[in-house]
Amino acid sequence: MSDMIEIAARALGLVDLTNLNDDCTAEDITKLCARTVTDHGSVAAVCVWPRFVAQAAKELTGTGVKVATVVNFPAGGEDTEAVIAETRQAIADGADEVDLVMPYKAFVSGRKGFAEEQIIRIRAVIPEGVLLKVILETGEIKDPLLIHAASNLAINAGADFIKTSTGKVAVNATLEAAEIMLTAIEEARRDDGERVIGFKPAGGIKTAEDAAAYLAVADRIMGHNWVSAHTFRFGASGLLDSLISTIEGQEIVDHSHHGY
């Protein structure tokens, strides 16, 4: 059990505590932000709808917890101008991190240039110091070779992180997708040791055991010293309670009524 406690403590600081529920309210954001600083340390970030960025940034002042938001979410649409406007507004409102859904349907249909151009254009409006995380939607891409190609495309287009999923489709984070994406990151590291590219599994990661499985893949592919909040995040809503319960040696109570 002590191993699980150690893993849970390690995972806690890697959580992007998320509320992307369609019915999310300002009150929900206040509750979310109140959970970020625990007796066992702080989470890395909250991840919220763009309309709540300013509120979250205000409520997290002085905590060191980052504010992440989502753009082109969840559909990965093709109106790049609209995504640019959405991104600019989120940054003006105080977003530290932007999670962009790449136009994965265009990518899968063979329009790789379009997908790449959208990422490049969003990257261009993101200032120094703000992270760009690109969501591939691996459960919809499906084909392992295409997931690898999408990882490479996002990395080459300027992603700081590549993220598995929106949490809004049938298949979200999987260990198979994690393996492919981390391999692409490892290959990129061999080509350019200076640049840091992170990995974020999201959707369906609920327990300390789930977290442990993803950390094990990262340790195996990237080495034991690689994982930190600069290189690895979990996108999750229910995971934090499970991690705290594990650290405190309590029975797990599932407080998350939402599937994210």
Side-chain angles (χ1 to χ4, degrees):
M1 187 60 197
S2 63
D3 279 358
M4 266 327 283
I5 292 172
E6 207 173 297
I7 290 164
R10 183 186 185 201
L12 190 145
L14 308 174
V15 172
D16 282 2
L17 187 63
T18 301
N19 188 331
L20 295 169
N21 299 324
D22 293 329
D23 59 359
C24 184
T25 64
E27 191 187 356
D28 293 331
I29 295 300
T30 298
K31 287 180 185 156
L32 190 76
C33 291
R35 293 172 59 207
T36 59
V37 180
T38 79
D39 294 344
H40 310 287
S42 301
V43 300
V46 295
C47 188
V48 299
W49 290 108
R51 65 183 178 273
F52 294 118
V53 166
Q55 179 191 343
K58 192 173 160 207
E59 295 193 9
L60 291 170
T61 304
T63 60
V65 176
K66 303 288 191 195
V67 178
T69 193
V70 290
V71 298
N72 208 22
F73 187 95
E78 299 188 16
D79 186 348
T80 300
E81 295 304 327
V83 185
I84 288 171
E86 189 179 30
T87 303
R88 285 187 194 278
Q89 184 61 53
I91 289 163
D93 287 344
D96 300 299
E97 308 181 354
V98 173
D99 291 22
L100 162 71
V101 184
M102 82 172 221
Y104 62 88
K105 295 182 196 84
F107 173 81
V108 168
S109 71
R111 294 163 57 216
K112 296 184 172 58
F114 179 87
E116 183 170 38
E117 189 197 4
Q118 185 180 98
I119 300 168
I120 289 168
R121 291 189 63 199
I122 300 306
R123 171 85 264 174
V125 301
I126 291 180
E128 190 75 27
V130 173
L131 288 182
L132 174 61
K133 306 200 205 84
V134 176
I135 302 170
L136 308 185
E137 203 68 292
T138 51
E140 294 291 294
I141 295 176
K142 297 184 175 81
D143 180 329
L145 290 175
L146 274 183
I147 293 170
H148 193 269
S151 301
N152 289 342
L153 181 142
I155 290 166
N156 292 335
D160 294 306
F161 267 71
I162 51 176
K163 173 175 169 181
T164 58
S165 318
T166 58
K168 299 284 188 183
V169 292
V171 176
N172 291 289
T174 66
L175 292 169
E176 291 76 16
E179 177 126 14
I180 296 163
M181 292 167 70
L182 284 160
T183 300
I185 290 169
E186 208 280 318
E187 289 162 357
R189 178 173 69 172
R190 268 181 291 172
D191 295 339
D192 176 9
E194 296 303 298
R195 192 172 152 210
V196 176
I197 298 142
F199 171 66
K200 178 176 171 180
I205 300 167
K206 295 191 168 117
T207 66
E209 288 75 13
D210 292 342
Y214 284 94
L215 290 171
V217 176
D219 287 345
R220 175 163 55 79
I221 293 172
M222 301 302 300
H224 280 271
N225 299 324
W226 181 77
V227 168
S228 75
H230 298 291
T231 58
F232 193 105
R233 301 288 180 81
F234 289 108
S237 58
L239 177 61
L240 181 60
D241 291 337
S242 173
L243 296 175
I244 291 169
S245 299
T246 300
I247 292 165
E248 295 178 352
Q250 296 167 351
E251 286 303 304
I252 308 299
V253 181
D254 184 8
H255 296 301
S256 70
H257 303 296
H258 299 283
Y260 185 83

